[in-house]
Amino acid sequence: MANNKSKTNNLFSFATSELSQDAFFCWSLNWLAVKEDTEDPYYKYGKAMLDLFLGNNKKDEYTDVLIKKQFVVEFKRNENNNPIKTDTTFGEKAKGIIDILVLFKDGNVPHALIIEDKTHTSEHSNQIAMYKNNLPATLKNSNDAEIETYKNLSSENIYTAYVKTGIMYSDDLDMKNKVNTTISLDKLLKFLDLFHGVSNQTISTINSNIYLDYYEYLHGINDFQNEIIDNFKKNQYVDNYESTNTELGYKNIFQDPYAQYCFLKKIFVECDENRNSSDGSKNDEIIFKSRIYSGSNKDGTKWTQYCFWKKQFETNILPHEKDEHESYALFWRIDNATMNKEIYPYLALRYYDKNINKYPPSPNTENNDKCRQNIFNKLQGYIKQHNIMEYEIDDNKVFFKKESRKGSVERNLLYIPIRNLDGISLTEISKVLHDINSKLTTYCKTEFENIK
């Protein structure tokens, strides 16, 4: 007989999409609409969640609450009935879709909350601003009888919230400057704890299986992330990793995006902060703004990068690309390589220039093309001259010679199989890599800053 002791049948283990999370938030908020007794535990729960999403704009009471999922917003049109291009990324699109729209009244005054809900993706194309700008006109022109009393909604009474239960990358952290409220996994978990029986500060216990499944699902993610952090504290990165969570555990944890993100953040942000705390260093949200980001390989596997230096060529590349600026960058990338059918994680310092292999070169930028071709060679020469490949971390030689793929726009300057770092503290790793970053940044500023 199979041992089912550690097995669960959680709905959200199967329903992992953003639409499923949308449905949970709608279900939670809708208790404000279906419960009339303000002392009812579910009414209190719904109100508390709306308070959470509104943040500093929360109200004492909410009436006439209406929840709309996947609400279609019509974009403004000109006299020729074409969408006004207030955002060039949207182009000629005539509409957008708000994940969750909450309409409510404070007294007799109508208000609206736009919720952009994400799990593993990020906001794009200035979505939320477009929705907010076009919502009043959409409501005014709507034939939906339910929103009749919201047709005169003032734009100043529209609030925005950004919710993400996945990793908060640099672009996600920057959402604080674009919306009224941002909700991370940690913030959402603290809220859910208030309605769970184990909390010492429980407002009202919610016993619904829907709530409990979502609660346990998020805590499972959080527990797994904490396991990764604990193993990093033990200087265990690959070989010695063990997880108590059989559903989420990996021997190679760097196949998981959170491990990649956490490793880079701790090396390039947190360890640096600890060393420079007496200097009043900036907080991590500012330090790595627009620096830590993630993407996918062709096979769907994830990589994560930390960019520490970038230079833009303010020169036209081709006649039909008059507004396009080319740039090159230096960054550390965590990814996985396959050798002998096994997957090995690595950390590589790379030089990027998408124009480096352009052929034939553009006549009007021939000199700049030559400069770009030379940058990589000069960086390689600097690394060789200063014996950076021979650097040791905690008396261990960790760098490995690795040629780049032919024709790649990303070229390896340094390469570390992460297995080589097992047993070495993040603090020691950070010291060496920060020293390398500092030397290369200084060299680039001196050698390449005047390239036009």
Side-chain angles (χ1 to χ4, degrees):
M1 181 180 292
N3 180 8
N4 295 319
K5 191 172 182 179
S6 63
K7 295 182 178 180
T8 61
N9 192 25
N10 190 304
L11 172 66
F12 292 97
S13 296
F14 300 97
T16 58
S17 73
E18 290 170 356
L19 289 175
S20 301
Q21 188 161 273
D22 288 350
F24 174 78
F25 292 145
C26 289
W27 173 85
S28 300
L29 293 165
N30 201 49
W31 290 114
L32 282 170
V34 301
K35 293 288 185 180
E36 296 181 359
D37 181 4
T38 58
E39 294 301 313
D40 186 287
Y42 285 83
Y43 181 92
K44 289 182 178 181
Y45 166 66
K47 182 181 183 301
M49 180 170 281
L50 186 50
D51 286 345
L52 175 72
F53 289 160
L54 286 170
N56 294 332
N57 297 297
K58 66 182 180 181
K59 313 300 179 185
D60 291 332
E61 62 178 3
Y62 306 102
T63 59
D64 298 335
V65 177
L66 186 61
I67 311 297
K68 292 288 186 180
K69 182 173 177 284
Q70 297 291 290
F71 184 82
V72 177
V73 177
E74 298 287 341
F75 292 167
K76 295 176 183 177
R77 296 174 176 272
N78 58 25
E79 58 185 10
N80 296 320
N81 202 36
N82 293 320
I84 297 175
K85 294 184 180 181
T86 53
D87 186 288
T88 55
T89 310
F90 275 84
E92 293 293 339
K93 287 186 179 179
K95 61 185 67 175
I97 300 177
I98 296 174
D99 290 336
I100 302 170
L101 176 66
V102 184
L103 299 171
F104 62 91
K105 291 181 182 175
D106 177 24
N108 292 319
V109 180
H111 296 261
L113 170 65
I114 294 171
I115 301 174
E116 184 67 19
D117 176 31
K118 301 292 185 183
T119 52
H120 302 298
T121 59
S122 298
E123 198 246 14
H124 61 85
S125 309
N126 207 20
Q127 291 170 284
I128 299 174
M130 290 287 289
Y131 299 155
K132 183 176 180 178
N133 291 339
N134 291 279
L135 180 59
T138 299
L139 294 175
K140 191 170 185 178
N141 296 327
S142 175
N143 294 321
D144 187 343
E146 285 189 309
I147 62 176
E148 183 66 31
T149 59
Y150 291 94
K151 288 193 170 184
N152 294 320
L153 176 69
S154 170
S155 59
E156 64 185 20
N157 290 333
I158 301 175
Y159 314 108
T160 53
Y162 183 74
V163 184
K164 186 172 183 183
T165 52
I167 301 168
M168 295 289 281
Y169 293 105
S170 301
D171 289 341
D172 299 304
L173 292 170
D174 194 39
M175 290 302 296
K176 284 190 174 183
N177 301 318
K178 299 180 181 181
V179 298
N180 298 113
T181 314
T182 56
I183 309 293
S184 64
L185 174 64
D186 288 344
K187 198 170 184 178
L188 186 57
L189 279 174
K190 287 177 182 177
F191 166 78
L192 294 174
D193 283 342
L194 295 175
F195 294 88
H196 197 275
V198 300
S199 173
N200 294 326
Q201 299 178 339
T202 300
I203 298 174
S204 299
T205 301
I206 301 299
N207 294 316
S208 166
N209 286 337
I210 296 174
Y211 164 85
L212 293 173
D213 269 10
Y214 188 69
Y215 176 89
E216 296 296 337
Y217 172 70
L218 287 191
H219 268 280
I221 294 173
N222 189 60
D223 290 345
F224 173 61
Q225 293 179 355
N226 287 334
E227 287 180 7
I228 289 174
I229 294 171
D230 288 343
N231 276 270
F232 284 176
K233 289 178 180 178
K234 299 173 186 175
N235 309 332
Q236 296 175 355
Y237 310 117
V238 182
D239 289 335
N240 298 319
Y241 177 74
E242 292 181 1
S243 174
T244 58
N245 190 321
T246 56
E247 293 182 2
L248 296 174
Y250 302 87
K251 182 179 180 182
N252 169 15
I253 54 174
F254 287 99
Q255 288 178 274
D256 184 85
Y258 183 79
Q260 298 178 1
Y261 163 80
C262 185
F263 191 79
L264 291 179
K265 181 183 175 185
K266 286 188 174 296
I267 287 176
F268 294 112
V269 178
E270 293 181 1
C271 289
D272 190 48
E273 280 186 322
N274 293 336
R275 288 197 302 272
N276 299 302
S277 57
S278 59
D279 299 328
S281 61
K282 299 177 182 179
N283 64 55
D284 61 349
E285 293 184 9
I286 296 175
I287 288 176
F288 69 91
K289 176 183 175 184
S290 301
R291 291 189 176 186
I292 296 183
Y293 49 97
S294 179
S296 299
N297 296 304
K298 291 181 180 180
D299 61 1
T301 58
K302 292 290 186 179
W303 51 257
T304 307
Q305 296 180 171
Y306 169 83
C307 180
F308 65 91
W309 196 75
K310 190 172 184 179
K311 169 69 181 177
Q312 189 175 78
F313 292 96
E314 299 177 355
T315 306
N316 295 342
I317 303 304
L318 293 173
H320 65 279
E321 297 174 336
K322 292 182 179 180
D323 296 325
E324 182 175 334
H325 291 168
E326 294 289 346
S327 63
Y328 61 88
L330 290 173
F331 61 91
W332 291 94
R333 173 165 173 161
I334 289 186
D335 204 343
N336 289 278
T338 302
M339 291 185 289
N340 299 323
K341 296 184 179 181
E342 285 195 49
I343 299 174
Y344 295 90
Y346 65 84
L347 176 65
L349 172 62
R350 288 184 173 177
Y351 165 77
Y352 166 86
D353 183 348
K354 77 174 185 179
N355 204 50
I356 194 168
N357 295 302
K358 183 176 285 188
Y359 185 84
S362 175
N364 64 327
T365 58
E366 183 176 354
N367 290 333
N368 286 323
D369 287 339
K370 288 180 180 178
C371 287
R372 282 193 284 266
Q373 292 283 353
N374 289 333
I375 289 173
F376 178 73
N377 294 333
K378 286 187 175 183
L379 287 168
Q380 273 191 320
Y382 179 86
I383 287 172
K384 184 176 181 180
Q385 179 185 350
H386 291 79
N387 297 317
I388 293 177
M389 271 286 292
E390 305 303 317
Y391 271 35
E392 293 183 348
I393 304 178
D394 200 17
D395 298 327
N396 292 290
K397 185 177 179 181
V398 298
F399 293 104
F400 177 80
K401 186 173 179 58
K402 178 75 171 178
E403 296 295 334
S404 307
R405 287 178 301 180
K406 189 174 181 180
S408 174
V409 297
E410 298 178 0
R411 296 189 174 186
N412 291 321
L413 288 165
L414 295 170
Y415 188 92
I416 307 174
I418 290 182
R419 179 168 283 122
N420 291 2
L421 299 176
D422 261 345
I424 304 175
S425 73
L426 290 173
T427 302
E428 293 303 312
I429 297 169
S430 178
K431 284 179 183 178
V432 172
L433 299 192
H434 269 286
D435 181 61
I436 292 171
N437 290 357
S438 179
K439 283 182 167 61
L440 288 175
T441 300
T442 300
Y443 175 72
C444 288
K445 286 181 177 180
T446 302
E447 193 73 19
F448 309 130
E449 196 67 23
N450 295 322
I451 292 178
K452 296 293 184 182

